[in-house]
Amino acid sequence: YVRVLAKRKLLIFLFVLAGMLVAGALSFAMPRLYTTKPWEVIIEVGTIEGEMVKSPLQIIGELEQNLYTIPLSEKLDISPSQLPKIKASSPPDTNLVKFEIRSSDEEKARKILEGLAQIILQEQEERVNIRITSLEDQIKLLEQNVEILQKDRTQSSNIVLLLSRISDLKRELDTIAYPTIRKAPSTLQEPVSKFRFAFNIILGAILGLFFGTFFAFAADWRKKNPNGKT
């Protein structure tokens, strides 16, 4: 046995090397071959008077209570049971919310995350629009009052007060921010861990050694028995 192994050591080495190379290549290819991939979308909540329309923690709580399940299933016209589990998180001290799912269906993953983001954004946009309309109506009414008072020179002090109020309302209007999608639905490439990479290389080397040894003995037997006789 030792003689055969020593004689065919180059063949065995090539098998071991091939096994390690194949294992290394598969280690980097495996993340793309996963049955499911992580997908995420990040939204930024709207603000009114410097305050968030709805806090990220409140949105996360509503998601955990499945308050978005029915609206989302109706929007996408799919059964609630077909929706994958959606995870939500928020970086500390931000008005960002990240939603993440795992799915092997790229189109379905994008539609689910886009649909969820649109539902949340639409709800906040309605509240923002109501506040904007209210402020604009107040400004318009005050400006009309200013025009009326300007005809009376004795009303200068009242005009100043009204103009100050108009200025305050316009500043508040400028601080209002609509909710937005900060990061469109996209997949995340999971990195290959060092442990898994090393394990795959070792496994490839062992398999290469096994097959190399097998073919070494097979080649030696074939040389001794050219006609296939034992």
Side-chain angles (χ1 to χ4, degrees):
Y1 293 143
V2 176
R3 180 186 60 80
V4 174
L5 294 177
K7 184 178 179 181
R8 303 289 181 177
K9 60 184 179 182
L10 179 59
L11 176 64
I12 296 174
F13 172 77
L14 291 176
F15 269 91
V16 171
L17 181 61
M20 294 173 66
L21 292 175
V22 171
L26 289 177
S27 295
F28 289 100
M30 277 196 301
R32 301 182 179 87
L33 300 176
Y34 283 156
T35 303
T36 61
K37 295 181 180 180
W39 293 78
E40 72 172 16
V41 64
I42 299 177
I43 68 170
E44 182 176 7
V45 302
T47 57
I48 297 177
E49 296 184 74
E51 299 292 332
M52 289 180 282
V53 176
K54 184 178 290 186
S55 72
L57 291 180
Q58 185 178 353
I59 294 174
I60 293 173
E62 291 176 348
L63 178 70
E64 293 174 347
Q65 295 173 23
N66 299 317
L67 298 184
Y68 296 112
T69 300
I70 299 302
L72 184 57
S73 63
E74 292 177 349
K75 183 178 183 65
L76 302 178
D77 193 25
I78 61 177
S79 170
S81 60
Q82 294 180 315
L83 293 174
K85 181 176 177 58
I86 304 175
K87 295 181 180 180
S89 61
S90 175
D93 302 321
T94 69
N95 58 346
L96 303 178
V97 186
K98 179 176 73 173
F99 300 98
E100 182 178 340
I101 63 174
R102 297 191 69 92
S103 176
S104 58
D105 189 329
E106 178 177 346
E107 182 178 1
K108 182 179 180 180
R110 290 184 184 277
K111 285 184 176 180
I112 290 174
L113 291 177
E114 286 176 353
L116 178 60
Q118 289 171 3
I119 290 172
I120 296 174
L121 266 59
Q122 183 177 0
E123 176 192 6
Q124 295 189 26
E125 286 171 354
E126 290 176 356
R127 296 176 63 178
V128 170
N129 286 332
I130 290 173
R131 184 56 181 166
I132 289 176
T133 300
S134 174
L135 290 173
E136 289 177 342
D137 289 343
Q138 292 181 61
I139 292 172
K140 184 178 179 180
L141 179 60
L142 290 173
E143 288 176 340
Q144 290 175 348
N145 289 336
V146 169
E147 290 180 3
I148 294 174
L149 293 177
Q150 283 176 338
K151 298 176 182 179
D152 187 348
R153 295 182 179 180
T154 64
Q155 298 295 326
S156 58
S157 60
N158 289 330
I159 293 174
V160 171
L161 292 175
L162 291 178
L163 291 175
S164 176
R165 179 56 180 160
I166 291 173
S167 178
D168 291 340
L169 293 175
K170 287 183 176 180
R171 278 197 297 268
E172 181 182 338
L173 196 60
D174 291 337
T175 62
I176 292 178
Y178 277 98
T180 59
I181 295 179
R182 288 287 294 271
K183 181 180 180 182
S186 59
T187 186
L188 302 173
Q189 183 62 54
E190 295 185 317
V192 179
S193 70
K194 294 181 179 179
F195 174 79
R196 188 176 69 191
F197 180 76
F199 175 80
N200 290 342
I201 292 295
I202 294 173
L203 182 61
I206 293 174
L207 291 175
L209 179 63
F210 172 79
F211 285 108
T213 302
F214 173 80
F215 278 100
F217 280 101
D220 187 73
W221 178 85
R222 184 68 178 174
K223 184 176 180 179
K224 293 179 178 179
N225 302 275
N227 297 324
K229 297 179 180 181
T230 58

